[in-house]
Structures are given as structure tokens and as C-alpha cells.
PDB file of all heavy atoms in Angstrom:
ATOM      1  N   PHE A   1     -22.067 -31.013  35.529  1.00 95.00           N
ATOM      2  CA  PHE A   1     -21.711 -29.724  36.132  1.00 95.00           C
ATOM      3  C   PHE A   1     -20.560 -29.919  37.130  1.00 95.00           C
ATOM      4  O   PHE A   1     -19.596 -29.156  37.145  1.00 95.00           O
ATOM      5  CB  PHE A   1     -22.941 -29.162  36.847  1.00 95.00           C
ATOM      6  CG  PHE A   1     -22.857 -27.709  37.217  1.00 95.00           C
ATOM      7  CD1 PHE A   1     -23.462 -26.750  36.426  1.00 95.00           C
ATOM      8  CD2 PHE A   1     -22.195 -27.299  38.366  1.00 95.00           C
ATOM      9  CE1 PHE A   1     -23.409 -25.400  36.766  1.00 95.00           C
ATOM     10  CE2 PHE A   1     -22.132 -25.961  38.713  1.00 95.00           C
ATOM     11  CZ  PHE A   1     -22.736 -25.001  37.908  1.00 95.00           C
ATOM     12  N   ARG A   2     -20.675 -30.954  37.968  1.00 96.00           N
ATOM     13  CA  ARG A   2     -19.650 -31.221  38.991  1.00 96.00           C
ATOM     14  C   ARG A   2     -18.306 -31.593  38.379  1.00 96.00           C
ATOM     15  O   ARG A   2     -17.257 -31.216  38.880  1.00 96.00           O
ATOM     16  CB  ARG A   2     -20.129 -32.345  39.908  1.00 96.00           C
ATOM     17  CG  ARG A   2     -21.346 -31.994  40.758  1.00 96.00           C
ATOM     18  CD  ARG A   2     -21.832 -33.178  41.570  1.00 96.00           C
ATOM     19  NE  ARG A   2     -23.021 -32.838  42.345  1.00 96.00           N
ATOM     20  CZ  ARG A   2     -24.187 -33.473  42.251  1.00 96.00           C
ATOM     21  NH1 ARG A   2     -24.319 -34.518  41.426  1.00 96.00           N
ATOM     22  NH2 ARG A   2     -25.223 -33.081  42.979  1.00 96.00           N
ATOM     23  N   ALA A   3     -18.346 -32.337  37.288  1.00 96.00           N
ATOM     24  CA  ALA A   3     -17.106 -32.810  36.669  1.00 96.00           C
ATOM     25  C   ALA A   3     -16.339 -31.691  35.979  1.00 96.00           C
ATOM     26  O   ALA A   3     -15.110 -31.739  35.862  1.00 96.00           O
ATOM     27  CB  ALA A   3     -17.427 -33.913  35.669  1.00 96.00           C
ATOM     28  N   GLY A   4     -17.068 -30.664  35.533  1.00 93.00           N
ATOM     29  CA  GLY A   4     -16.434 -29.561  34.809  1.00 93.00           C
ATOM     30  C   GLY A   4     -17.097 -29.359  33.466  1.00 93.00           C
ATOM     31  O   GLY A   4     -17.446 -30.329  32.782  1.00 93.00           O
ATOM     32  N   ILE A   5     -17.304 -28.107  33.114  1.00 94.00           N
ATOM     33  CA  ILE A   5     -17.970 -27.739  31.863  1.00 94.00           C
ATOM     34  C   ILE A   5     -16.987 -26.981  30.984  1.00 94.00           C
ATOM     35  O   ILE A   5     -16.226 -26.135  31.468  1.00 94.00           O
ATOM     36  CB  ILE A   5     -19.194 -26.840  32.131  1.00 94.00           C
ATOM     37  CG1 ILE A   5     -20.231 -27.551  33.014  1.00 94.00           C
ATOM     38  CG2 ILE A   5     -19.819 -26.360  30.833  1.00 94.00           C
ATOM     39  CD1 ILE A   5     -20.983 -28.658  32.344  1.00 94.00           C
ATOM     40  N   GLU A   6     -17.000 -27.270  29.696  1.00 93.00           N
ATOM     41  CA  GLU A   6     -16.120 -26.533  28.781  1.00 93.00           C
ATOM     42  C   GLU A   6     -16.692 -25.149  28.516  1.00 93.00           C
ATOM     43  O   GLU A   6     -17.813 -25.011  28.030  1.00 93.00           O
ATOM     44  CB  GLU A   6     -15.943 -27.287  27.465  1.00 93.00           C
ATOM     45  CG  GLU A   6     -14.923 -26.615  26.551  1.00 93.00           C
ATOM     46  CD  GLU A   6     -14.619 -27.422  25.305  1.00 93.00           C
ATOM     47  OE1 GLU A   6     -14.339 -28.632  25.432  1.00 93.00           O
ATOM     48  OE2 GLU A   6     -14.662 -26.829  24.210  1.00 93.00           O
ATOM     49  N   ILE A   7     -15.911 -24.128  28.867  1.00 91.00           N
ATOM     50  CA  ILE A   7     -16.298 -22.737  28.643  1.00 91.00           C
ATOM     51  C   ILE A   7     -15.191 -22.047  27.861  1.00 91.00           C
ATOM     52  O   ILE A   7     -14.024 -22.078  28.270  1.00 91.00           O
ATOM     53  CB  ILE A   7     -16.519 -21.988  29.981  1.00 91.00           C
ATOM     54  CG1 ILE A   7     -17.740 -22.559  30.708  1.00 91.00           C
ATOM     55  CG2 ILE A   7     -16.721 -20.498  29.745  1.00 91.00           C
ATOM     56  CD1 ILE A   7     -17.966 -21.922  32.059  1.00 91.00           C
ATOM     57  N   ASP A   8     -15.559 -21.457  26.749  1.00 89.00           N
ATOM     58  CA  ASP A   8     -14.587 -20.735  25.913  1.00 89.00           C
ATOM     59  C   ASP A   8     -13.375 -21.615  25.592  1.00 89.00           C
ATOM     60  O   ASP A   8     -12.224 -21.173  25.648  1.00 89.00           O
ATOM     61  CB  ASP A   8     -14.148 -19.448  26.608  1.00 89.00           C
ATOM     62  CG  ASP A   8     -15.312 -18.524  26.917  1.00 89.00           C
ATOM     63  OD1 ASP A   8     -16.265 -18.491  26.120  1.00 89.00           O
ATOM     64  OD2 ASP A   8     -15.268 -17.849  27.974  1.00 89.00           O
ATOM     65  N   GLY A   9     -13.650 -22.893  25.306  1.00 91.00           N
ATOM     66  CA  GLY A   9     -12.590 -23.803  24.883  1.00 91.00           C
ATOM     67  C   GLY A   9     -11.747 -24.394  25.993  1.00 91.00           C
ATOM     68  O   GLY A   9     -10.759 -25.072  25.720  1.00 91.00           O
ATOM     69  N   ARG A  10     -12.147 -24.164  27.260  1.00 92.00           N
ATOM     70  CA  ARG A  10     -11.350 -24.677  28.376  1.00 92.00           C
ATOM     71  C   ARG A  10     -12.273 -25.234  29.454  1.00 92.00           C
ATOM     72  O   ARG A  10     -13.289 -24.632  29.786  1.00 92.00           O
ATOM     73  CB  ARG A  10     -10.477 -23.546  28.938  1.00 92.00           C
ATOM     74  CG  ARG A  10      -9.463 -23.976  29.986  1.00 92.00           C
ATOM     75  CD  ARG A  10      -8.342 -22.926  30.095  1.00 92.00           C
ATOM     76  NE  ARG A  10      -8.847 -21.608  30.382  1.00 92.00           N
ATOM     77  CZ  ARG A  10      -8.926 -21.094  31.618  1.00 92.00           C
ATOM     78  NH1 ARG A  10      -8.555 -21.821  32.665  1.00 92.00           N
ATOM     79  NH2 ARG A  10      -9.374 -19.869  31.801  1.00 92.00           N
ATOM     80  N   LEU A  11     -11.899 -26.397  29.994  1.00 94.00           N
ATOM     81  CA  LEU A  11     -12.710 -27.061  30.999  1.00 94.00           C
ATOM     82  C   LEU A  11     -12.579 -26.366  32.354  1.00 94.00           C
ATOM     83  O   LEU A  11     -11.487 -25.986  32.762  1.00 94.00           O
ATOM     84  CB  LEU A  11     -12.264 -28.518  31.131  1.00 94.00           C
ATOM     85  CG  LEU A  11     -13.254 -29.516  31.743  1.00 94.00           C
ATOM     86  CD1 LEU A  11     -14.476 -29.677  30.848  1.00 94.00           C
ATOM     87  CD2 LEU A  11     -12.572 -30.863  31.956  1.00 94.00           C
ATOM     88  N   THR A  12     -13.714 -26.190  33.040  1.00 93.00           N
ATOM     89  CA  THR A  12     -13.663 -25.616  34.391  1.00 93.00           C
ATOM     90  C   THR A  12     -13.154 -26.659  35.377  1.00 93.00           C
ATOM     91  O   THR A  12     -13.204 -27.860  35.118  1.00 93.00           O
ATOM     92  CB  THR A  12     -15.062 -25.148  34.849  1.00 93.00           C
ATOM     93  OG1 THR A  12     -15.940 -26.285  34.906  1.00 93.00           O
ATOM     94  CG2 THR A  12     -15.632 -24.120  33.904  1.00 93.00           C
ATOM     95  N   LEU A  13     -12.684 -26.199  36.521  1.00 92.00           N
ATOM     96  CA  LEU A  13     -12.298 -27.112  37.588  1.00 92.00           C
ATOM     97  C   LEU A  13     -13.536 -27.818  38.126  1.00 92.00           C
ATOM     98  O   LEU A  13     -14.650 -27.310  37.992  1.00 92.00           O
ATOM     99  CB  LEU A  13     -11.618 -26.334  38.723  1.00 92.00           C
ATOM    100  CG  LEU A  13     -10.248 -25.717  38.434  1.00 92.00           C
ATOM    101  CD1 LEU A  13      -9.787 -24.890  39.642  1.00 92.00           C
ATOM    102  CD2 LEU A  13      -9.215 -26.783  38.103  1.00 92.00           C
ATOM    103  N   PRO A  14     -13.359 -28.997  38.741  1.00 93.00           N
ATOM    104  CA  PRO A  14     -14.506 -29.675  39.362  1.00 93.00           C
ATOM    105  C   PRO A  14     -15.255 -28.732  40.303  1.00 93.00           C
ATOM    106  O   PRO A  14     -14.652 -27.925  41.016  1.00 93.00           O
ATOM    107  CB  PRO A  14     -13.853 -30.830  40.125  1.00 93.00           C
ATOM    108  CG  PRO A  14     -12.626 -31.131  39.326  1.00 93.00           C
ATOM    109  CD  PRO A  14     -12.129 -29.794  38.849  1.00 93.00           C
ATOM    110  N   THR A  15     -16.571 -28.820  40.291  1.00 94.00           N
ATOM    111  CA  THR A  15     -17.454 -27.873  40.972  1.00 94.00           C
ATOM    112  C   THR A  15     -18.455 -28.617  41.855  1.00 94.00           C
ATOM    113  O   THR A  15     -18.805 -29.755  41.574  1.00 94.00           O
ATOM    114  CB  THR A  15     -18.211 -27.041  39.918  1.00 94.00           C
ATOM    115  OG1 THR A  15     -17.279 -26.395  39.066  1.00 94.00           O
ATOM    116  CG2 THR A  15     -19.089 -25.996  40.563  1.00 94.00           C
ATOM    117  N   LYS A  16     -18.900 -27.968  42.919  1.00 96.00           N
ATOM    118  CA  LYS A  16     -19.935 -28.555  43.778  1.00 96.00           C
ATOM    119  C   LYS A  16     -21.272 -27.886  43.485  1.00 96.00           C
ATOM    120  O   LYS A  16     -21.343 -26.669  43.361  1.00 96.00           O
ATOM    121  CB  LYS A  16     -19.573 -28.351  45.253  1.00 96.00           C
ATOM    122  CG  LYS A  16     -18.260 -28.998  45.669  1.00 96.00           C
ATOM    123  CD  LYS A  16     -17.899 -28.629  47.107  1.00 96.00           C
ATOM    124  CE  LYS A  16     -16.530 -29.164  47.489  1.00 96.00           C
ATOM    125  NZ  LYS A  16     -16.137 -28.741  48.860  1.00 96.00           N
ATOM    126  N   ILE A  17     -22.315 -28.694  43.375  1.00 97.00           N
ATOM    127  CA  ILE A  17     -23.656 -28.154  43.194  1.00 97.00           C
ATOM    128  C   ILE A  17     -24.648 -29.029  43.956  1.00 97.00           C
ATOM    129  O   ILE A  17     -24.545 -30.258  43.928  1.00 97.00           O
ATOM    130  CB  ILE A  17     -24.045 -28.053  41.695  1.00 97.00           C
ATOM    131  CG1 ILE A  17     -25.440 -27.418  41.550  1.00 97.00           C
ATOM    132  CG2 ILE A  17     -23.975 -29.395  40.994  1.00 97.00           C
ATOM    133  CD1 ILE A  17     -25.815 -27.053  40.115  1.00 97.00           C
ATOM    134  N   LYS A  18     -25.580 -28.388  44.646  1.00 96.00           N
ATOM    135  CA  LYS A  18     -26.581 -29.106  45.427  1.00 96.00           C
ATOM    136  C   LYS A  18     -27.905 -28.358  45.314  1.00 96.00           C
ATOM    137  O   LYS A  18     -27.972 -27.156  45.590  1.00 96.00           O
ATOM    138  CB  LYS A  18     -26.147 -29.189  46.895  1.00 96.00           C
ATOM    139  CG  LYS A  18     -27.156 -29.874  47.805  1.00 96.00           C
ATOM    140  CD  LYS A  18     -26.591 -30.075  49.209  1.00 96.00           C
ATOM    141  CE  LYS A  18     -26.406 -28.758  49.938  1.00 96.00           C
ATOM    142  NZ  LYS A  18     -25.988 -28.941  51.352  1.00 96.00           N
ATOM    143  N   ILE A  19     -28.946 -29.061  44.894  1.00 96.00           N
ATOM    144  CA  ILE A  19     -30.276 -28.467  44.817  1.00 96.00           C
ATOM    145  C   ILE A  19     -30.811 -28.334  46.244  1.00 96.00           C
ATOM    146  O   ILE A  19     -30.874 -29.318  46.986  1.00 96.00           O
ATOM    147  CB  ILE A  19     -31.234 -29.319  43.972  1.00 96.00           C
ATOM    148  CG1 ILE A  19     -30.675 -29.522  42.552  1.00 96.00           C
ATOM    149  CG2 ILE A  19     -32.612 -28.663  43.917  1.00 96.00           C
ATOM    150  CD1 ILE A  19     -30.482 -28.242  41.768  1.00 96.00           C
ATOM    151  N   ILE A  20     -31.206 -27.117  46.627  1.00 96.00           N
ATOM    152  CA  ILE A  20     -31.695 -26.903  47.999  1.00 96.00           C
ATOM    153  C   ILE A  20     -33.186 -26.604  48.054  1.00 96.00           C
ATOM    154  O   ILE A  20     -33.789 -26.621  49.133  1.00 96.00           O
ATOM    155  CB  ILE A  20     -30.891 -25.777  48.692  1.00 96.00           C
ATOM    156  CG1 ILE A  20     -30.947 -24.472  47.897  1.00 96.00           C
ATOM    157  CG2 ILE A  20     -29.456 -26.201  48.924  1.00 96.00           C
ATOM    158  CD1 ILE A  20     -30.223 -23.306  48.569  1.00 96.00           C
ATOM    159  N   ALA A  21     -33.791 -26.348  46.891  1.00 95.00           N
ATOM    160  CA  ALA A  21     -35.238 -26.126  46.835  1.00 95.00           C
ATOM    161  C   ALA A  21     -35.668 -26.176  45.374  1.00 95.00           C
ATOM    162  O   ALA A  21     -34.877 -25.897  44.471  1.00 95.00           O
ATOM    163  CB  ALA A  21     -35.618 -24.781  47.439  1.00 95.00           C
ATOM    164  N   HIS A  22     -36.924 -26.563  45.149  1.00 90.00           N
ATOM    165  CA  HIS A  22     -37.447 -26.508  43.782  1.00 90.00           C
ATOM    166  C   HIS A  22     -38.967 -26.463  43.803  1.00 90.00           C
ATOM    167  O   HIS A  22     -39.624 -26.950  44.730  1.00 90.00           O
ATOM    168  CB  HIS A  22     -36.942 -27.685  42.945  1.00 90.00           C
ATOM    169  CG  HIS A  22     -37.402 -29.030  43.400  1.00 90.00           C
ATOM    170  ND1 HIS A  22     -38.639 -29.537  43.117  1.00 90.00           N
ATOM    171  CD2 HIS A  22     -36.772 -29.984  44.133  1.00 90.00           C
ATOM    172  CE1 HIS A  22     -38.756 -30.744  43.635  1.00 90.00           C
ATOM    173  NE2 HIS A  22     -37.640 -31.035  44.275  1.00 90.00           N
ATOM    174  N   GLU A  23     -39.523 -25.838  42.761  1.00 89.00           N
ATOM    175  CA  GLU A  23     -40.946 -25.798  42.537  1.00 89.00           C
ATOM    176  C   GLU A  23     -41.207 -26.486  41.203  1.00 89.00           C
ATOM    177  O   GLU A  23     -40.365 -27.243  40.725  1.00 89.00           O
ATOM    178  CB  GLU A  23     -41.435 -24.349  42.556  1.00 89.00           C
ATOM    179  CG  GLU A  23     -41.178 -23.646  43.885  1.00 89.00           C
ATOM    180  CD  GLU A  23     -41.561 -22.180  43.872  1.00 89.00           C
ATOM    181  OE1 GLU A  23     -42.126 -21.734  42.845  1.00 89.00           O
ATOM    182  OE2 GLU A  23     -41.305 -21.487  44.867  1.00 89.00           O
ATOM    183  N   LYS A  24     -42.322 -26.191  40.567  1.00 86.00           N
ATOM    184  CA  LYS A  24     -42.648 -26.882  39.322  1.00 86.00           C
ATOM    185  C   LYS A  24     -41.645 -26.603  38.218  1.00 86.00           C
ATOM    186  O   LYS A  24     -41.222 -27.501  37.500  1.00 86.00           O
ATOM    187  CB  LYS A  24     -44.052 -26.478  38.871  1.00 86.00           C
ATOM    188  CG  LYS A  24     -45.167 -27.058  39.737  1.00 86.00           C
ATOM    189  CD  LYS A  24     -46.530 -26.693  39.182  1.00 86.00           C
ATOM    190  CE  LYS A  24     -47.633 -27.306  40.039  1.00 86.00           C
ATOM    191  NZ  LYS A  24     -48.992 -26.953  39.521  1.00 86.00           N
ATOM    192  N   THR A  25     -41.282 -25.336  38.055  1.00 91.00           N
ATOM    193  CA  THR A  25     -40.419 -24.969  36.923  1.00 91.00           C
ATOM    194  C   THR A  25     -39.146 -24.227  37.332  1.00 91.00           C
ATOM    195  O   THR A  25     -38.392 -23.786  36.477  1.00 91.00           O
ATOM    196  CB  THR A  25     -41.185 -24.077  35.930  1.00 91.00           C
ATOM    197  OG1 THR A  25     -41.642 -22.889  36.616  1.00 91.00           O
ATOM    198  CG2 THR A  25     -42.386 -24.815  35.358  1.00 91.00           C
ATOM    199  N   ILE A  26     -38.917 -24.069  38.631  1.00 95.00           N
ATOM    200  CA  ILE A  26     -37.763 -23.289  39.098  1.00 95.00           C
ATOM    201  C   ILE A  26     -37.025 -24.056  40.206  1.00 95.00           C
ATOM    202  O   ILE A  26     -37.659 -24.648  41.086  1.00 95.00           O
ATOM    203  CB  ILE A  26     -38.214 -21.913  39.625  1.00 95.00           C
ATOM    204  CG1 ILE A  26     -38.791 -21.076  38.490  1.00 95.00           C
ATOM    205  CG2 ILE A  26     -37.058 -21.170  40.283  1.00 95.00           C
ATOM    206  CD1 ILE A  26     -39.393 -19.756  38.937  1.00 95.00           C
ATOM    207  N   SER A  27     -35.698 -24.030  40.140  1.00 96.00           N
ATOM    208  CA  SER A  27     -34.864 -24.661  41.166  1.00 96.00           C
ATOM    209  C   SER A  27     -33.924 -23.641  41.787  1.00 96.00           C
ATOM    210  O   SER A  27     -33.523 -22.672  41.143  1.00 96.00           O
ATOM    211  CB  SER A  27     -34.029 -25.793  40.556  1.00 96.00           C
ATOM    212  OG  SER A  27     -34.839 -26.800  40.019  1.00 96.00           O
ATOM    213  N   THR A  28     -33.568 -23.886  43.030  1.00 97.00           N
ATOM    214  CA  THR A  28     -32.551 -23.087  43.719  1.00 97.00           C
ATOM    215  C   THR A  28     -31.427 -24.024  44.138  1.00 97.00           C
ATOM    216  O   THR A  28     -31.686 -25.100  44.700  1.00 97.00           O
ATOM    217  CB  THR A  28     -33.132 -22.379  44.956  1.00 97.00           C
ATOM    218  OG1 THR A  28     -34.194 -21.519  44.533  1.00 97.00           O
ATOM    219  CG2 THR A  28     -32.062 -21.541  45.649  1.00 97.00           C
ATOM    220  N   ALA A  29     -30.198 -23.621  43.863  1.00 97.00           N
ATOM    221  CA  ALA A  29     -29.049 -24.479  44.142  1.00 97.00           C
ATOM    222  C   ALA A  29     -27.948 -23.715  44.852  1.00 97.00           C
ATOM    223  O   ALA A  29     -27.819 -22.495  44.717  1.00 97.00           O
ATOM    224  CB  ALA A  29     -28.500 -25.071  42.840  1.00 97.00           C
ATOM    225  N   GLN A  30     -27.170 -24.461  45.611  1.00 98.00           N
ATOM    226  CA  GLN A  30     -25.933 -23.938  46.188  1.00 98.00           C
ATOM    227  C   GLN A  30     -24.796 -24.418  45.297  1.00 98.00           C
ATOM    228  O   GLN A  30     -24.675 -25.605  45.022  1.00 98.00           O
ATOM    229  CB  GLN A  30     -25.755 -24.475  47.607  1.00 98.00           C
ATOM    230  CG  GLN A  30     -24.427 -24.085  48.254  1.00 98.00           C
ATOM    231  CD  GLN A  30     -24.279 -24.719  49.620  1.00 98.00           C
ATOM    232  OE1 GLN A  30     -24.881 -24.277  50.584  1.00 98.00           O
ATOM    233  NE2 GLN A  30     -23.494 -25.792  49.706  1.00 98.00           N
ATOM    234  N   ILE A  31     -23.987 -23.477  44.825  1.00 97.00           N
ATOM    235  CA  ILE A  31     -22.895 -23.792  43.898  1.00 97.00           C
ATOM    236  C   ILE A  31     -21.581 -23.280  44.474  1.00 97.00           C
ATOM    237  O   ILE A  31     -21.508 -22.131  44.935  1.00 97.00           O
ATOM    238  CB  ILE A  31     -23.146 -23.158  42.510  1.00 97.00           C
ATOM    239  CG1 ILE A  31     -24.414 -23.749  41.878  1.00 97.00           C
ATOM    240  CG2 ILE A  31     -21.945 -23.355  41.589  1.00 97.00           C
ATOM    241  CD1 ILE A  31     -24.852 -23.054  40.598  1.00 97.00           C
ATOM    242  N   ILE A  32     -20.549 -24.111  44.443  1.00 96.00           N
ATOM    243  CA  ILE A  32     -19.229 -23.716  44.932  1.00 96.00           C
ATOM    244  C   ILE A  32     -18.212 -23.927  43.816  1.00 96.00           C
ATOM    245  O   ILE A  32     -18.072 -25.044  43.290  1.00 96.00           O
ATOM    246  CB  ILE A  32     -18.813 -24.519  46.178  1.00 96.00           C
ATOM    247  CG1 ILE A  32     -19.812 -24.285  47.324  1.00 96.00           C
ATOM    248  CG2 ILE A  32     -17.398 -24.127  46.621  1.00 96.00           C
ATOM    249  CD1 ILE A  32     -19.548 -25.137  48.556  1.00 96.00           C
ATOM    250  N   ILE A  33     -17.503 -22.860  43.462  1.00 94.00           N
ATOM    251  CA  ILE A  33     -16.445 -22.948  42.451  1.00 94.00           C
ATOM    252  C   ILE A  33     -15.105 -22.563  43.065  1.00 94.00           C
ATOM    253  O   ILE A  33     -15.061 -21.931  44.118  1.00 94.00           O
ATOM    254  CB  ILE A  33     -16.741 -22.048  41.227  1.00 94.00           C
ATOM    255  CG1 ILE A  33     -16.791 -20.575  41.644  1.00 94.00           C
ATOM    256  CG2 ILE A  33     -18.040 -22.467  40.561  1.00 94.00           C
ATOM    257  CD1 ILE A  33     -16.940 -19.622  40.459  1.00 94.00           C
ATOM    258  N   ARG A  34     -14.017 -22.956  42.394  1.00 90.00           N
ATOM    259  CA  ARG A  34     -12.675 -22.673  42.913  1.00 90.00           C
ATOM    260  C   ARG A  34     -11.850 -21.834  41.941  1.00 90.00           C
ATOM    261  O   ARG A  34     -10.631 -21.824  41.999  1.00 90.00           O
ATOM    262  CB  ARG A  34     -11.947 -23.986  43.225  1.00 90.00           C
ATOM    263  CG  ARG A  34     -12.541 -24.744  44.396  1.00 90.00           C
ATOM    264  CD  ARG A  34     -11.772 -26.013  44.695  1.00 90.00           C
ATOM    265  NE  ARG A  34     -12.003 -27.019  43.652  1.00 90.00           N
ATOM    266  CZ  ARG A  34     -11.042 -27.728  43.086  1.00 90.00           C
ATOM    267  NH1 ARG A  34      -9.779 -27.539  43.404  1.00 90.00           N
ATOM    268  NH2 ARG A  34     -11.328 -28.639  42.166  1.00 90.00           N
ATOM    269  N   GLU A  35     -12.535 -21.152  41.052  1.00 87.00           N
ATOM    270  CA  GLU A  35     -11.880 -20.224  40.131  1.00 87.00           C
ATOM    271  C   GLU A  35     -12.862 -19.093  39.871  1.00 87.00           C
ATOM    272  O   GLU A  35     -13.978 -19.119  40.381  1.00 87.00           O
ATOM    273  CB  GLU A  35     -11.464 -20.939  38.841  1.00 87.00           C
ATOM    274  CG  GLU A  35     -12.586 -21.712  38.188  1.00 87.00           C
ATOM    275  CD  GLU A  35     -12.115 -22.594  37.035  1.00 87.00           C
ATOM    276  OE1 GLU A  35     -11.060 -22.314  36.441  1.00 87.00           O
ATOM    277  OE2 GLU A  35     -12.816 -23.567  36.716  1.00 87.00           O
ATOM    278  N   GLY A  36     -12.452 -18.106  39.109  1.00 81.00           N
ATOM    279  CA  GLY A  36     -13.327 -16.957  38.923  1.00 81.00           C
ATOM    280  C   GLY A  36     -13.324 -16.455  37.498  1.00 81.00           C
ATOM    281  O   GLY A  36     -13.059 -15.288  37.234  1.00 81.00           O
ATOM    282  N   ARG A  37     -13.630 -17.330  36.563  1.00 85.00           N
ATOM    283  CA  ARG A  37     -13.643 -16.942  35.161  1.00 85.00           C
ATOM    284  C   ARG A  37     -14.869 -16.079  34.835  1.00 85.00           C
ATOM    285  O   ARG A  37     -15.872 -16.098  35.566  1.00 85.00           O
ATOM    286  CB  ARG A  37     -13.588 -18.191  34.289  1.00 85.00           C
ATOM    287  CG  ARG A  37     -12.222 -18.887  34.398  1.00 85.00           C
ATOM    288  CD  ARG A  37     -12.234 -20.346  34.033  1.00 85.00           C
ATOM    289  NE  ARG A  37     -12.632 -20.543  32.643  1.00 85.00           N
ATOM    290  CZ  ARG A  37     -12.682 -21.747  32.071  1.00 85.00           C
ATOM    291  NH1 ARG A  37     -12.387 -22.827  32.772  1.00 85.00           N
ATOM    292  NH2 ARG A  37     -13.046 -21.861  30.807  1.00 85.00           N
ATOM    293  N   ASN A  38     -14.786 -15.339  33.745  1.00 85.00           N
ATOM    294  CA  ASN A  38     -15.827 -14.377  33.377  1.00 85.00           C
ATOM    295  C   ASN A  38     -17.197 -15.039  33.240  1.00 85.00           C
ATOM    296  O   ASN A  38     -17.370 -15.950  32.430  1.00 85.00           O
ATOM    297  CB  ASN A  38     -15.429 -13.697  32.062  1.00 85.00           C
ATOM    298  CG  ASN A  38     -16.410 -12.626  31.650  1.00 85.00           C
ATOM    299  OD1 ASN A  38     -16.927 -11.884  32.481  1.00 85.00           O
ATOM    300  ND2 ASN A  38     -16.681 -12.533  30.353  1.00 85.00           N
ATOM    301  N   ARG A  39     -18.157 -14.595  34.065  1.00 91.00           N
ATOM    302  CA  ARG A  39     -19.530 -15.091  34.032  1.00 91.00           C
ATOM    303  C   ARG A  39     -19.590 -16.619  34.098  1.00 91.00           C
ATOM    304  O   ARG A  39     -20.439 -17.264  33.484  1.00 91.00           O
ATOM    305  CB  ARG A  39     -20.252 -14.572  32.773  1.00 91.00           C
ATOM    306  CG  ARG A  39     -20.314 -13.055  32.704  1.00 91.00           C
ATOM    307  CD  ARG A  39     -20.942 -12.556  31.416  1.00 91.00           C
ATOM    308  NE  ARG A  39     -22.357 -12.881  31.319  1.00 91.00           N
ATOM    309  CZ  ARG A  39     -23.336 -12.151  31.836  1.00 91.00           C
ATOM    310  NH1 ARG A  39     -23.060 -11.052  32.517  1.00 91.00           N
ATOM    311  NH2 ARG A  39     -24.599 -12.511  31.691  1.00 91.00           N
ATOM    312  N   GLN A  40     -18.690 -17.194  34.890  1.00 93.00           N
ATOM    313  CA  GLN A  40     -18.525 -18.646  34.897  1.00 93.00           C
ATOM    314  C   GLN A  40     -19.784 -19.413  35.283  1.00 93.00           C
ATOM    315  O   GLN A  40     -20.202 -20.344  34.578  1.00 93.00           O
ATOM    316  CB  GLN A  40     -17.382 -19.044  35.843  1.00 93.00           C
ATOM    317  CG  GLN A  40     -17.165 -20.552  35.930  1.00 93.00           C
ATOM    318  CD  GLN A  40     -15.984 -20.928  36.780  1.00 93.00           C
ATOM    319  OE1 GLN A  40     -15.075 -20.128  36.986  1.00 93.00           O
ATOM    320  NE2 GLN A  40     -15.981 -22.144  37.296  1.00 93.00           N
ATOM    321  N   VAL A  41     -20.396 -19.060  36.415  1.00 95.00           N
ATOM    322  CA  VAL A  41     -21.570 -19.808  36.876  1.00 95.00           C
ATOM    323  C   VAL A  41     -22.703 -19.677  35.865  1.00 95.00           C
ATOM    324  O   VAL A  41     -23.407 -20.653  35.562  1.00 95.00           O
ATOM    325  CB  VAL A  41     -22.015 -19.331  38.270  1.00 95.00           C
ATOM    326  CG1 VAL A  41     -23.297 -20.029  38.701  1.00 95.00           C
ATOM    327  CG2 VAL A  41     -20.912 -19.601  39.299  1.00 95.00           C
ATOM    328  N   ARG A  42     -22.909 -18.492  35.329  1.00 94.00           N
ATOM    329  CA  ARG A  42     -23.970 -18.289  34.330  1.00 94.00           C
ATOM    330  C   ARG A  42     -23.748 -19.178  33.110  1.00 94.00           C
ATOM    331  O   ARG A  42     -24.678 -19.821  32.608  1.00 94.00           O
ATOM    332  CB  ARG A  42     -24.022 -16.822  33.891  1.00 94.00           C
ATOM    333  CG  ARG A  42     -24.527 -15.894  34.977  1.00 94.00           C
ATOM    334  CD  ARG A  42     -24.668 -14.455  34.522  1.00 94.00           C
ATOM    335  NE  ARG A  42     -25.133 -13.655  35.633  1.00 94.00           N
ATOM    336  CZ  ARG A  42     -26.416 -13.558  35.998  1.00 94.00           C
ATOM    337  NH1 ARG A  42     -27.340 -14.200  35.304  1.00 94.00           N
ATOM    338  NH2 ARG A  42     -26.764 -12.828  37.035  1.00 94.00           N
TER     339      ARG A  42
END
């Protein structure tokens, strides 16, 4: 995720992600991106 994910044929910029809480089946994370592509984080 941090290195970049290919979306719609193009790699995203490097991204920051940090898990800040989690339970058995659900996690909460802080995510920082430097671009704004369509539904990028999703």
C-alpha cells in the first residue's frame, strides 16, 4: 500500500498508512495520500 498500488493501469504515488486500532475482524487506519484520483483510497 505504501509503495503504491496500480489503479486503472497507473501506479499511485507512495502513500502513508498506519493502523491505529483493531478488533477481531475490523481495523482502523490513518491514511495519507498526495493525489486525488477517483475513489482512490477505496
